[in-house]
Amino acid sequence: MRPRTHYADLMADELHSTITDTALIFEGGGMRASYTSAVVVTLLAQGLFFDWVGGISAGASNTANYLARDPARAEKSFTDFVADPHFGSLWTFATGKGWFNAHYIYEQTAGPTQVLPYDFATFKANPARRRIGAFQADTGREIYWGNDDMRTLPAFMRRVRASSTMPLLMPPVEIDRHVYVDGALGPSGGIALDAAKADGFTKFFVVLSQPRSYVKKPLSSPWLFKNYFRHYPAAADALVARPGNYNRTREELFDLESSGDACLFVPDFMPVSNSTTDLTKLKAAHNAGLAQARRELPRWREWLSM
């Protein structure tokens, strides 16, 4: 494991952003973040600190680890952590806790004496604006939480969990009397470009989790999700609409890339799925992501004018 930089030892006024005109956006994708967490590691190692960071689903976890400036946790969250016996299994799925044991993963591991401690002091001291997106299943609205919504570690981690609640694989999350599921169900399709634009940005550094040729196909069994979300029809409708929303946002990003307004990290290939729990495969994916990120770093610096 790479040595950790102890940013928590710094005073709040010593943390600063080095990139203020560009939004950093992390796409989700479940365990595909084993590959894209390598971008977190590389950005932090190079001192590339963006002043606006947004993420949805697994991209919310990448956002969290980036804002805590913790490259070791960024890697471990999507590699070694799967070996934890409480991470998830057929048993946790059968008992209603989810294929991924979300309550444990997000809400019982981040404390200072727990298995995946989170540097909340650095998170709070980080001057960057942040946006975590989730889908409000009972109203059909996409919600983006900001700095004011995440003043405590439990409040923050519960929102990261809500953002990451993959339908069928994890149970919905209740926050302030609303029911939430994965933010990928929103109009953006799971890429927080709309949030960055709403906050006034016109330049975007976006970390995608599918290869350039990927096109999301329509749901093969929409009835399954309609039955699962029978009490939340807006969520079922959003799932049906998601492929179109996702493909449209990707096309917009490719257009922004062509015009020079976006710099995209697009995986050369994706060796794992959103539900992969094989540690060997996840570590290989992370190492492949590192190799690509290091190769692309000069291009990033040129685009960022650094």
Side-chain angles (χ1 to χ4, degrees):
M1 190 65 67
R2 294 168 182 80
R4 178 174 170 198
T5 303
H6 293 283
Y7 288 100
D9 295 335
L10 300 176
M11 298 298 291
D13 60 359
E14 292 180 298
L15 284 178
H16 64 281
S17 302
T18 57
I19 302 162
T20 59
D21 64 343
T22 302
L24 171 60
I25 301 170
F26 290 103
E27 182 188 353
M31 300 310 292
R32 290 197 296 272
S34 56
Y35 196 106
T36 57
S37 60
V39 178
V40 177
V41 173
T42 304
L43 291 174
L44 294 176
Q46 297 297 317
L48 299 176
F49 304 138
F50 289 76
D51 201 45
W52 189 102
V53 191
I56 291 172
S57 197
S61 291
N62 274 338
T63 295
N65 292 323
Y66 176 84
L67 289 168
R69 298 190 178 178
D70 193 339
R73 191 179 193 276
E75 177 182 354
K76 186 176 181 180
S77 294
F78 293 99
T79 56
D80 302 85
F81 191 29
V82 300
D84 187 305
H86 304 293
F87 186 81
S89 64
L90 183 59
W91 171 251
T92 58
F93 181 76
T95 55
K97 296 178 182 179
W99 180 257
F100 297 107
N101 187 359
H103 179 63
Y104 173 75
I105 290 170
Y106 298 101
E107 299 190 62
Q108 295 182 307
T109 61
T113 63
Q114 295 175 328
V115 299
L116 200 64
Y118 185 76
D119 189 347
F120 194 63
T122 295
F123 171 84
K124 289 196 298 183
N126 194 317
R129 282 183 290 169
R130 60 224 51 188
R131 295 286 183 266
I132 299 295
F135 186 79
Q136 218 169 58
D138 51 339
T139 68
R141 294 191 302 153
E142 177 87 12
I143 301 297
Y144 282 104
W145 290 299
N147 299 46
D148 290 342
D149 302 300
M150 300 177 279
R151 293 183 179 275
T152 68
L153 180 60
F156 176 45
M157 285 300 165
R158 192 158 181 84
R159 283 160 174 78
V160 174
R161 174 188 171 188
S163 178
S164 307
T165 300
M166 290 187 285
L168 296 181
L169 296 182
M170 298 172 172
V173 179
E174 184 173 331
I175 300 174
D176 298 332
R177 292 176 295 195
H178 287 289
V179 176
Y180 290 90
V181 292
D182 200 307
L185 274 65
S188 69
I191 305 169
L193 178 63
D194 54 347
K197 290 164 65 177
D199 280 346
F201 285 88
T202 57
K203 290 183 62 180
F204 314 95
F205 188 104
V206 186
V207 182
L208 298 176
S209 62
Q210 291 284 17
R212 194 170 290 270
S213 61
Y214 178 80
V215 176
K216 186 171 286 296
K217 298 178 181 178
L219 290 179
S220 58
S221 304
W223 61 268
L224 177 65
F225 294 98
K226 287 183 179 294
N227 182 64
Y228 180 76
F229 283 122
R230 58 189 176 278
H231 299 300
Y232 304 108
D237 292 342
L239 268 167
V240 173
R242 191 193 168 213
N245 291 334
Y246 178 77
N247 293 334
R248 183 176 61 252
T249 298
R250 292 238 315 177
E251 286 302 316
E252 182 178 356
L253 286 171
F254 295 144
D255 289 342
L256 288 167
E257 181 185 45
S258 295
S259 67
D261 296 310
C263 181
L264 307 183
F265 176 87
V266 186
D268 291 334
F269 65 104
M270 183 46 65
V272 296
S273 74
N274 65 350
S275 58
T276 298
T277 56
D278 184 304
L279 180 56
T280 300
K281 292 180 179 179
L282 294 170
K283 281 187 171 290
H286 184 78
N287 288 334
L290 279 177
Q292 181 178 346
R294 289 166 178 163
R295 187 176 69 250
E296 293 189 3
L297 181 60
R299 176 174 68 86
W300 301 352
R301 286 191 168 279
E302 181 180 6
W303 186 81
L304 291 165
S305 301
M306 298 186 73

